[in-house]
Amino acid sequence: MAQAARRDFLGAVTLVARDGRIVAWKAHGHRDLARKVRLERDDIFAVYSLTKPVTTVAVMILVDEGRVDLDKPVREYLPAIGRLWSSKPMTVRQLLTHTAGFGADTSSIERSADLAAYVEALSDLHLAYEPGTRFGYHSGNSEVAARLVEVASGQRFGEFLRQRIFTPLGMEDTGFAVPEAKRHRIAAMTTHDRNGRLVALATGDATYPGGPLRRWESGAGGLYSTVADFARFGQMMLDRGTFEGRRILSERSVAAMMTNQLTFLDPPVSQYGEGFGLGGFVNLDRPRERPGSVGAWGWSGAAGTYLMVDPKERLVAMLFTQNIPQDDLPRTPKRLSMRFYNLVYQSLER
């Protein structure tokens, strides 16, 4: 990629699959800041908010099994949430659509020991708005959803993900920490200094490379993964809940995730100008910046990890980088994902 060659960032891994077959999978640039080690296709990235669609699938598995109801009050599963005053109780669906009302600064609870402690502490804060009245992207939605998975399933969140999602999909390099034997594959995290130079950046609360990004198993942004692993996740969504003959999620749940849930708003879009399903954006039939067909679904992470699933084109497209952007600096790579998606869709027209 040209921006990697110009040293705007270290590198990227890209993957495009169509009709269930990988048609392009490449690594560009370097893994380390010294630029001595080439980036490899199976290198490991902190995916941050790309964790959120995985959390949503976990909740929807429990919906399929009748253990969670999308339209029940969250307080029926997590009584502490009842301390958050509102005229109407927040629902599980509102957690997954970021319309639950969270908006307060949560820095005071970032040292919580686990998801249970996080939810207890969050419940002592205040909602920013009434549930179901606006879209407000906030990590509290996904952390509460992750705790709900623990309570409804009787398992730790990470164990539930491993048993019900990662193992069935063959996502062998995905988890909340990177085993020591795999840490040499971690792509360095970078940002830019005030002079626009690329510099190293520590990842979260990690005390060693590949260490936990949060003290708890964060449903909002705690996972490490690879492009290959997430391509399997994306293919499962594209194939309406199945992967290699095994059903992970019902077709009905996949359809709900990939359908705009913000129809009660005017206009029916998120703060980003696009629709939002359960756990991810949904492209609408309206002017938009993001390339892709109407009905395309996906999400991204803060350090530049992107997933798009396009049912119309039978396409999974992914871009993984490891750079926390600073938009006010001139050398920060901007709109890289848009350039990537534009190239993908231009190639489909040839």
Side-chain angles (χ1 to χ4, degrees), residues 31 62-63 82 104-105 109 143 181 206 227 253 280-281 328 343 347 349:
R31 179 192 298 151
L62 295 170
V63 170
D105 178 9
I109 62 175
E143 304 296 20
V227 162
S253 287
F281 71 79
D328 60 330
L343 289 171
S347 71
E349 297 173 0

Side-chain angles (χ1 to χ4, degrees), residues 80-107:
I81 294 297
R83 300 202 300 265
L84 289 165
W85 185 89
S86 62
S87 61
K88 295 182 180 179
M90 75 173 64
T91 66
V92 177
R93 186 184 303 272
Q94 289 164 351
L95 292 177
L96 303 185
T97 56
H98 291 268
T99 59
F102 295 115
D105 178 9
T106 55
S107 57

Side-chain angles (χ1 to χ4, degrees), residues 11 16 22 31 69 122 130 140 164 184 226 265 292-293 297 314 318 335 341:
V16 179
I22 294 175
R31 179 192 298 151
D69 186 322
L122 182 68
E130 284 282 292
R164 305 302 300 275
H184 66 284
T226 64
L265 298 180
S293 307
W297 172 92
R314 296 292 302 161
M318 303 188 59
R335 315 303 292 173
Y341 288 133

Side-chain angles (χ1 to χ4, degrees), residues 188-262:
M189 183 69 68
T190 62
T191 188
H192 290 78
D193 65 17
R194 300 308 304 176
N195 295 315
R197 292 174 301 200
L198 205 62
V199 294
L201 181 70
T203 53
D205 291 334
T207 56
Y208 54 86
L213 298 170
R214 298 286 187 275
R215 288 193 168 194
W216 61 93
E217 294 176 328
S218 172
L223 287 177
Y224 291 91
S225 192
T226 64
V227 162
D229 274 11
F230 251 91
R232 290 168 171 264
F233 179 85
Q235 191 65 46
M236 179 273 293
M237 292 295 295
L238 185 63
D239 289 341
R240 297 179 293 182
T242 65
F243 184 78
E244 295 182 348
R246 177 178 294 186
R247 179 157 296 282
I248 308 299
L249 200 59
S250 71
E251 289 192 32
R252 180 176 62 182
S253 287
V254 173
M257 290 180 65
M258 301 179 75
T259 299
N260 184 30
Q261 301 284 320
L262 304 182

